[in-house]
Amino acid sequence: MAIRTDAPTRREQILKEAARLFAERGFHGVGVDEIGAAVGISGPGLYRHFAGKDAMLAELLVGISGRLLTGAKRRLQESDGTPAEGVLDSLIEGHIDFALDDRPLITLHDRELDRLRDSDRKLVRQLQRQYVELWVQVLREVYPAIAEPAARSAVHSVFGLLNSTPHLGRPGSLPGRGTTAQLLHRMARGAFAAAAA
Amino acid sequence: MAIRTDAPTRREQILKEAARLFAERGFHGVGVDEIGAAVGISGPGLYRHFAGKDAMLAELLVGISGRLLTGAKRRLQESDGTPAEGVLDSLIEGHIDFALDDRPLITLHDRELDRLRDSDRKLVRQLQRQYVELWVQVLREVYPAIAEPAARSAVHSVFGLLNSTPHLGRPGSLPGRGTTAQLLHRMARGAFAAAAA
DNA sequence: CCCATAGGTTAACGACCGCTAACCTCCCTG
DNA sequence: CAGGGAGGTTAGCGGTCGTTAACCTATGGG
């Protein structure tokens, strides 16, 4: 995994602050002036970098869905041939990393989807659906007994479990990132096992 | 449990429609005219029943938190003396009923809290905290091995799991309410058991 | 029978918000 | 060294939104 070391571009700064503000107060609850102020420029200056407020949200949501999906696909390829249990663990691990490191994006991901233009919303939904189906496939390899509708429901529910990170108190009050990650991982596996019983 | 048979008051109609609209498009994304139209009157007519748009949201959120808490307290009393496992099952059952029957409220519950006046927000947060602590207490009776911070995290995560109902497809496409409820129940128990391991 | 009250209506005000226009200032390049 | 693009600025327009004001109508009790 290639780690970025160069400074973030202004565009990236804006996206990061916009994500935080949207998550905190909702898309309609944040004005462009506030987003600008968060990166040290004033409202209309944003339009040198984005076509509009909608475009920021669209880029955020498409970016999240895309990164989740490509990350999962990569994990699936890398663990080709290994037992399905390990693949499922890898998927869970990837999702937890994301949920712990990009909480604002996780929040936006299932909250502001309906604020998108039709075409963008369709794209995001398609990426999300592919991501879910990929999990469903792996889950049914580990637990062949579980029917497909139940598997899909179980996957959505486990996403709800893993995406609960924003409710687990501020990043400082947690018992430590590693401990929390392990707890979430165990719970996800336990929930899946129980779903198959 | 006393079942209402009389017709809903206009006030209740308004609250129900407002909840649905707020859940669909966000608090700031819905205008008072739309809420009025949803109950057959026009925008400003709402002010005969509520002090303002904020007051509707406040009543919704305080109502949800309060009903969840009192319901849990009642279940705790009714099952006094019975084994802790049964109490936990009863709590889970109550929360699932709520998540399946009042999806818009579940959505609002963790999404629009920050749009409240300070005093209302404090009240809601206090009710929520009591509800969580009640679960933590019961959970630690069932699994004495689990430490308190981990128990609290586990409870929040299971709420995330149970509150995933809005993502499980429209009420028609589900395999049936009872089946879904049982699946969620099993998964919650499985997640808790794994958290304690 | 009268009239107060509950529950509506439309018009309009003031604030805010997304966005554009017009302009300015570096800095890099031919 | 000219000049042009990149990236800012402020002013302001047009639309929307929450709320209030003023007015209307039915209805039920003294």
mmCIF file of all heavy atoms in Angstrom, chain D residues 8-20:
data_model
loop_
_atom_site.group_PDB
_atom_site.id
_atom_site.type_symbol
_atom_site.label_atom_id
_atom_site.label_comp_id
_atom_site.label_asym_id
_atom_site.label_seq_id
_atom_site.Cartn_x
_atom_site.Cartn_y
_atom_site.Cartn_z
ATOM 1 P P DG D 8 -6.888 29.587 -3.244
ATOM 2 O OP1 DG D 8 -5.864 28.858 -2.508
ATOM 3 O OP2 DG D 8 -8.097 28.896 -3.717
ATOM 4 O "O5'" DG D 8 -7.329 30.847 -2.373
ATOM 5 C "C5'" DG D 8 -8.448 31.648 -2.775
ATOM 6 C "C4'" DG D 8 -8.027 33.107 -2.817
ATOM 7 O "O4'" DG D 8 -7.716 33.444 -4.168
ATOM 8 C "C3'" DG D 8 -9.141 34.070 -2.410
ATOM 9 O "O3'" DG D 8 -9.081 34.316 -1.017
ATOM 10 C "C2'" DG D 8 -8.770 35.326 -3.194
ATOM 11 C "C1'" DG D 8 -8.147 34.764 -4.454
ATOM 12 N N9 DG D 8 -9.048 34.681 -5.628
ATOM 13 C C8 DG D 8 -9.509 33.544 -6.240
ATOM 14 N N7 DG D 8 -10.271 33.775 -7.277
ATOM 15 C C5 DG D 8 -10.332 35.155 -7.356
ATOM 16 C C6 DG D 8 -11.003 35.995 -8.287
ATOM 17 O O6 DG D 8 -11.705 35.663 -9.246
ATOM 18 N N1 DG D 8 -10.806 37.351 -7.997
ATOM 19 C C2 DG D 8 -10.040 37.831 -6.950
ATOM 20 N N2 DG D 8 -9.968 39.149 -6.830
ATOM 21 N N3 DG D 8 -9.405 37.051 -6.088
ATOM 22 C C4 DG D 8 -9.585 35.737 -6.339
ATOM 23 P P DT D 9 -10.421 34.663 -0.241
ATOM 24 O OP1 DT D 9 -10.087 34.680 1.191
ATOM 25 O OP2 DT D 9 -11.484 33.783 -0.749
ATOM 26 O "O5'" DT D 9 -10.753 36.158 -0.722
ATOM 27 C "C5'" DT D 9 -9.850 37.208 -0.425
ATOM 28 C "C4'" DT D 9 -10.330 38.490 -1.080
ATOM 29 O "O4'" DT D 9 -10.341 38.293 -2.522
ATOM 30 C "C3'" DT D 9 -11.771 38.861 -0.721
ATOM 31 O "O3'" DT D 9 -11.775 39.712 0.415
ATOM 32 C "C2'" DT D 9 -12.263 39.577 -1.964
ATOM 33 C "C1'" DT D 9 -11.399 39.028 -3.092
ATOM 34 N N1 DT D 9 -12.134 38.120 -4.046
ATOM 35 C C2 DT D 9 -12.853 38.658 -5.077
ATOM 36 O O2 DT D 9 -12.964 39.853 -5.270
ATOM 37 N N3 DT D 9 -13.460 37.739 -5.895
ATOM 38 C C4 DT D 9 -13.420 36.372 -5.784
ATOM 39 O O4 DT D 9 -14.008 35.641 -6.576
ATOM 40 C C5 DT D 9 -12.655 35.874 -4.658
ATOM 41 C C7 DT D 9 -12.547 34.406 -4.429
ATOM 42 C C6 DT D 9 -12.048 36.756 -3.853
ATOM 43 P P DT D 10 -13.144 39.865 1.251
ATOM 44 O OP1 DT D 10 -12.797 40.565 2.497
ATOM 45 O OP2 DT D 10 -13.809 38.554 1.288
ATOM 46 O "O5'" DT D 10 -14.025 40.823 0.320
ATOM 47 C "C5'" DT D 10 -13.520 42.088 -0.073
ATOM 48 C "C4'" DT D 10 -14.536 42.798 -0.960
ATOM 49 O "O4'" DT D 10 -14.725 42.028 -2.188
ATOM 50 C "C3'" DT D 10 -15.940 42.948 -0.348
ATOM 51 O "O3'" DT D 10 -16.431 44.246 -0.656
ATOM 52 C "C2'" DT D 10 -16.743 41.847 -1.015
ATOM 53 C "C1'" DT D 10 -16.095 41.750 -2.395
ATOM 54 N N1 DT D 10 -16.177 40.390 -2.997
ATOM 55 C C2 DT D 10 -16.713 40.248 -4.247
ATOM 56 O O2 DT D 10 -17.147 41.169 -4.906
ATOM 57 N N3 DT D 10 -16.729 38.948 -4.712
ATOM 58 C C4 DT D 10 -16.273 37.824 -4.060
ATOM 59 O O4 DT D 10 -16.339 36.723 -4.572
ATOM 60 C C5 DT D 10 -15.721 38.067 -2.742
ATOM 61 C C7 DT D 10 -15.192 36.922 -1.944
ATOM 62 C C6 DT D 10 -15.695 39.317 -2.273
ATOM 63 P P DA D 11 -17.875 44.701 -0.084
ATOM 64 O OP1 DA D 11 -17.750 46.134 0.259
ATOM 65 O OP2 DA D 11 -18.338 43.736 0.921
ATOM 66 O "O5'" DA D 11 -18.803 44.561 -1.387
ATOM 67 C "C5'" DA D 11 -18.323 45.046 -2.639
ATOM 68 C "C4'" DA D 11 -19.442 45.025 -3.669
ATOM 69 O "O4'" DA D 11 -19.486 43.707 -4.280
ATOM 70 C "C3'" DA D 11 -20.847 45.266 -3.113
ATOM 71 O "O3'" DA D 11 -21.598 45.995 -4.085
ATOM 72 C "C2'" DA D 11 -21.381 43.860 -2.894
ATOM 73 C "C1'" DA D 11 -20.730 43.085 -4.030
ATOM 74 N N9 DA D 11 -20.448 41.687 -3.726
ATOM 75 C C8 DA D 11 -19.943 41.184 -2.558
ATOM 76 N N7 DA D 11 -19.777 39.879 -2.567
ATOM 77 C C5 DA D 11 -20.210 39.494 -3.828
ATOM 78 C C6 DA D 11 -20.286 38.243 -4.459
ATOM 79 N N6 DA D 11 -19.922 37.105 -3.878
ATOM 80 N N1 DA D 11 -20.762 38.215 -5.728
ATOM 81 C C2 DA D 11 -21.136 39.366 -6.303
ATOM 82 N N3 DA D 11 -21.103 40.605 -5.811
ATOM 83 C C4 DA D 11 -20.619 40.604 -4.555
ATOM 84 P P DG D 12 -23.132 46.389 -3.793
ATOM 85 O OP1 DG D 12 -23.397 47.624 -4.563
ATOM 86 O OP2 DG D 12 -23.381 46.336 -2.335
ATOM 87 O "O5'" DG D 12 -23.957 45.206 -4.482
ATOM 88 C "C5'" DG D 12 -23.671 44.876 -5.828
ATOM 89 C "C4'" DG D 12 -24.497 43.668 -6.234
ATOM 90 O "O4'" DG D 12 -23.883 42.456 -5.730
ATOM 91 C "C3'" DG D 12 -25.939 43.665 -5.688
ATOM 92 O "O3'" DG D 12 -26.793 43.211 -6.709
ATOM 93 C "C2'" DG D 12 -25.868 42.655 -4.553
ATOM 94 C "C1'" DG D 12 -24.902 41.659 -5.183
ATOM 95 N N9 DG D 12 -24.321 40.695 -4.254
ATOM 96 C C8 DG D 12 -23.859 40.927 -2.979
ATOM 97 N N7 DG D 12 -23.391 39.853 -2.394
ATOM 98 C C5 DG D 12 -23.566 38.846 -3.340
ATOM 99 C C6 DG D 12 -23.252 37.477 -3.274
ATOM 100 O O6 DG D 12 -22.744 36.846 -2.350
ATOM 101 N N1 DG D 12 -23.599 36.816 -4.464
ATOM 102 C C2 DG D 12 -24.170 37.416 -5.547
ATOM 103 N N2 DG D 12 -24.432 36.626 -6.594
ATOM 104 N N3 DG D 12 -24.465 38.704 -5.621
ATOM 105 C C4 DG D 12 -24.134 39.354 -4.481
ATOM 106 P P DC D 13 -28.307 43.760 -6.805
ATOM 107 O OP1 DC D 13 -28.212 45.138 -7.317
ATOM 108 O OP2 DC D 13 -29.001 43.483 -5.540
ATOM 109 O "O5'" DC D 13 -28.927 42.849 -7.944
ATOM 110 C "C5'" DC D 13 -28.049 42.174 -8.853
ATOM 111 C "C4'" DC D 13 -28.473 40.725 -9.015
ATOM 112 O "O4'" DC D 13 -27.797 39.881 -8.039
ATOM 113 C "C3'" DC D 13 -29.976 40.503 -8.806
ATOM 114 O "O3'" DC D 13 -30.457 39.688 -9.845
ATOM 115 C "C2'" DC D 13 -30.048 39.807 -7.437
ATOM 116 C "C1'" DC D 13 -28.745 39.017 -7.447
ATOM 117 N N1 DC D 13 -28.234 38.668 -6.091
ATOM 118 C C2 DC D 13 -27.942 37.321 -5.788
ATOM 119 O O2 DC D 13 -28.135 36.448 -6.635
ATOM 120 N N3 DC D 13 -27.458 37.019 -4.543
ATOM 121 C C4 DC D 13 -27.268 37.981 -3.649
ATOM 122 N N4 DC D 13 -26.788 37.646 -2.452
ATOM 123 C C5 DC D 13 -27.553 39.352 -3.937
ATOM 124 C C6 DC D 13 -28.035 39.648 -5.159
ATOM 125 P P DG D 14 -31.967 39.731 -10.299
ATOM 126 O OP1 DG D 14 -32.011 39.766 -11.773
ATOM 127 O OP2 DG D 14 -32.687 40.746 -9.501
ATOM 128 O "O5'" DG D 14 -32.448 38.295 -9.829
ATOM 129 C "C5'" DG D 14 -31.743 37.139 -10.299
ATOM 130 C "C4'" DG D 14 -32.193 35.924 -9.512
ATOM 131 O "O4'" DG D 14 -31.557 35.943 -8.208
ATOM 132 C "C3'" DG D 14 -33.698 35.868 -9.257
ATOM 133 O "O3'" DG D 14 -34.118 34.539 -9.489
ATOM 134 C "C2'" DG D 14 -33.833 36.278 -7.795
ATOM 135 C "C1'" DG D 14 -32.533 35.754 -7.213
ATOM 136 N N9 DG D 14 -32.075 36.459 -6.022
ATOM 137 C C8 DG D 14 -32.190 37.801 -5.748
ATOM 138 N N7 DG D 14 -31.669 38.145 -4.598
ATOM 139 C C5 DG D 14 -31.170 36.961 -4.085
ATOM 140 C C6 DG D 14 -30.496 36.696 -2.867
ATOM 141 O O6 DG D 14 -30.191 37.500 -1.975
ATOM 142 N N1 DG D 14 -30.165 35.352 -2.741
ATOM 143 C C2 DG D 14 -30.446 34.378 -3.669
ATOM 144 N N2 DG D 14 -30.057 33.139 -3.387
ATOM 145 N N3 DG D 14 -31.083 34.610 -4.812
ATOM 146 C C4 DG D 14 -31.413 35.912 -4.947
ATOM 147 P P DG D 15 -35.662 34.185 -9.586
ATOM 148 O OP1 DG D 15 -35.895 33.580 -10.905
ATOM 149 O OP2 DG D 15 -36.493 35.337 -9.125
ATOM 150 O "O5'" DG D 15 -35.772 33.034 -8.498
ATOM 151 C "C5'" DG D 15 -34.715 32.072 -8.416
ATOM 152 C "C4'" DG D 15 -34.664 31.468 -7.045
ATOM 153 O "O4'" DG D 15 -34.067 32.411 -6.121
ATOM 154 C "C3'" DG D 15 -36.037 31.094 -6.471
ATOM 155 O "O3'" DG D 15 -36.016 29.715 -6.151
ATOM 156 C "C2'" DG D 15 -36.199 31.987 -5.248
ATOM 157 C "C1'" DG D 15 -34.754 32.343 -4.889
ATOM 158 N N9 DG D 15 -34.589 33.628 -4.218
ATOM 159 C C8 DG D 15 -35.041 34.843 -4.674
ATOM 160 N N7 DG D 15 -34.747 35.835 -3.866
ATOM 161 C C5 DG D 15 -34.070 35.233 -2.808
ATOM 162 C C6 DG D 15 -33.506 35.801 -1.635
ATOM 163 O O6 DG D 15 -33.502 36.994 -1.290
ATOM 164 N N1 DG D 15 -32.911 34.841 -0.838
ATOM 165 C C2 DG D 15 -32.859 33.498 -1.127
ATOM 166 N N2 DG D 15 -32.251 32.718 -0.235
ATOM 167 N N3 DG D 15 -33.377 32.953 -2.218
ATOM 168 C C4 DG D 15 -33.965 33.877 -3.016
ATOM 169 P P DT D 16 -37.373 28.950 -5.797
ATOM 170 O OP1 DT D 16 -37.376 27.699 -6.568
ATOM 171 O OP2 DT D 16 -38.518 29.903 -5.864
ATOM 172 O "O5'" DT D 16 -37.101 28.599 -4.271
ATOM 173 C "C5'" DT D 16 -35.783 28.222 -3.868
ATOM 174 C "C4'" DT D 16 -35.666 28.287 -2.354
ATOM 175 O "O4'" DT D 16 -35.410 29.653 -1.934
ATOM 176 C "C3'" DT D 16 -36.936 27.838 -1.622
ATOM 177 O "O3'" DT D 16 -36.551 26.911 -0.636
ATOM 178 C "C2'" DT D 16 -37.479 29.142 -1.031
ATOM 179 C "C1'" DT D 16 -36.199 29.925 -0.796
ATOM 180 N N1 DT D 16 -36.360 31.400 -0.712
ATOM 181 C C2 DT D 16 -35.794 32.082 0.352
ATOM 182 O O2 DT D 16 -35.171 31.531 1.231
ATOM 183 N N3 DT D 16 -35.994 33.437 0.337
ATOM 184 C C4 DT D 16 -36.688 34.171 -0.614
ATOM 185 O O4 DT D 16 -36.791 35.390 -0.522
ATOM 186 C C5 DT D 16 -37.251 33.396 -1.695
ATOM 187 C C7 DT D 16 -38.016 34.086 -2.780
ATOM 188 C C6 DT D 16 -37.063 32.063 -1.696
ATOM 189 P P DC D 17 -37.630 25.962 0.043
ATOM 190 O OP1 DC D 17 -37.243 24.565 -0.204
ATOM 191 O OP2 DC D 17 -38.955 26.468 -0.354
ATOM 192 O "O5'" DC D 17 -37.413 26.280 1.577
ATOM 193 C "C5'" DC D 17 -36.153 26.785 2.023
ATOM 194 C "C4'" DC D 17 -36.352 27.510 3.328
ATOM 195 O "O4'" DC D 17 -36.486 28.933 3.069
ATOM 196 C "C3'" DC D 17 -37.624 27.083 4.048
ATOM 197 O "O3'" DC D 17 -37.316 26.736 5.381
ATOM 198 C "C2'" DC D 17 -38.534 28.312 3.972
ATOM 199 C "C1'" DC D 17 -37.544 29.453 3.846
ATOM 200 N N1 DC D 17 -38.104 30.646 3.142
ATOM 201 C C2 DC D 17 -37.850 31.925 3.637
ATOM 202 O O2 DC D 17 -37.159 32.038 4.659
ATOM 203 N N3 DC D 17 -38.370 32.994 2.991
ATOM 204 C C4 DC D 17 -39.104 32.823 1.895
ATOM 205 N N4 DC D 17 -39.593 33.898 1.287
ATOM 206 C C5 DC D 17 -39.385 31.523 1.377
ATOM 207 C C6 DC D 17 -38.870 30.472 2.026
ATOM 208 P P DG D 18 -38.366 25.933 6.261
ATOM 209 O OP1 DG D 18 -37.679 24.733 6.744
ATOM 210 O OP2 DG D 18 -39.632 25.818 5.508
ATOM 211 O "O5'" DG D 18 -38.602 26.917 7.499
ATOM 212 C "C5'" DG D 18 -37.473 27.351 8.233
ATOM 213 C "C4'" DG D 18 -37.839 28.525 9.114
ATOM 214 O "O4'" DG D 18 -38.164 29.656 8.269
ATOM 215 C "C3'" DG D 18 -39.050 28.301 10.011
ATOM 216 O "O3'" DG D 18 -38.766 28.819 11.307
ATOM 217 C "C2'" DG D 18 -40.173 29.062 9.313
ATOM 218 C "C1'" DG D 18 -39.435 30.168 8.588
ATOM 219 N N9 DG D 18 -40.073 30.569 7.326
ATOM 220 C C8 DG D 18 -40.542 29.736 6.350
ATOM 221 N N7 DG D 18 -41.053 30.369 5.329
ATOM 222 C C5 DG D 18 -40.921 31.706 5.653
ATOM 223 C C6 DG D 18 -41.292 32.863 4.923
ATOM 224 O O6 DG D 18 -41.849 32.943 3.821
ATOM 225 N N1 DG D 18 -40.967 34.035 5.615
ATOM 226 C C2 DG D 18 -40.347 34.065 6.844
ATOM 227 N N2 DG D 18 -40.116 35.275 7.360
ATOM 228 N N3 DG D 18 -39.996 32.985 7.534
ATOM 229 C C4 DG D 18 -40.306 31.850 6.881
ATOM 230 P P DT D 19 -39.749 28.628 12.525
ATOM 231 O OP1 DT D 19 -38.968 28.626 13.796
ATOM 232 O OP2 DT D 19 -40.643 27.493 12.235
ATOM 233 O "O5'" DT D 19 -40.572 29.984 12.463
ATOM 234 C "C5'" DT D 19 -39.853 31.219 12.405
ATOM 235 C "C4'" DT D 19 -40.801 32.360 12.115
ATOM 236 O "O4'" DT D 19 -41.179 32.362 10.725
ATOM 237 C "C3'" DT D 19 -42.113 32.333 12.909
ATOM 238 O "O3'" DT D 19 -42.058 33.369 13.876
ATOM 239 C "C2'" DT D 19 -43.202 32.552 11.851
ATOM 240 C "C1'" DT D 19 -42.421 33.018 10.632
ATOM 241 N N1 DT D 19 -43.025 32.666 9.325
ATOM 242 C C2 DT D 19 -43.341 33.685 8.436
ATOM 243 O O2 DT D 19 -43.153 34.862 8.684
ATOM 244 N N3 DT D 19 -43.878 33.265 7.249
ATOM 245 C C4 DT D 19 -44.145 31.949 6.874
ATOM 246 O O4 DT D 19 -44.638 31.708 5.768
ATOM 247 C C5 DT D 19 -43.811 30.941 7.838
ATOM 248 C C7 DT D 19 -44.055 29.500 7.530
ATOM 249 C C6 DT D 19 -43.270 31.351 8.999
ATOM 250 P P DT D 20 -43.316 33.614 14.854
ATOM 251 O OP1 DT D 20 -42.760 34.112 16.122
ATOM 252 O OP2 DT D 20 -44.194 32.436 14.830
ATOM 253 O "O5'" DT D 20 -44.083 34.833 14.147
ATOM 254 C "C5'" DT D 20 -43.352 35.974 13.785
ATOM 255 C "C4'" DT D 20 -44.254 36.964 13.049
ATOM 256 O "O4'" DT D 20 -44.582 36.430 11.739
ATOM 257 C "C3'" DT D 20 -45.596 37.243 13.748
ATOM 258 O "O3'" DT D 20 -45.751 38.653 13.848
ATOM 259 C "C2'" DT D 20 -46.636 36.588 12.826
ATOM 260 C "C1'" DT D 20 -45.947 36.651 11.468
ATOM 261 N N1 DT D 20 -46.364 35.605 10.504
ATOM 262 C C2 DT D 20 -46.813 35.986 9.257
ATOM 263 O O2 DT D 20 -46.905 37.143 8.906
ATOM 264 N N3 DT D 20 -47.167 34.936 8.434
ATOM 265 C C4 DT D 20 -47.118 33.591 8.732
ATOM 266 O O4 DT D 20 -47.460 32.743 7.916
ATOM 267 C C5 DT D 20 -46.631 33.268 10.048
ATOM 268 C C7 DT D 20 -46.537 31.854 10.462
ATOM 269 C C6 DT D 20 -46.283 34.271 10.858
#
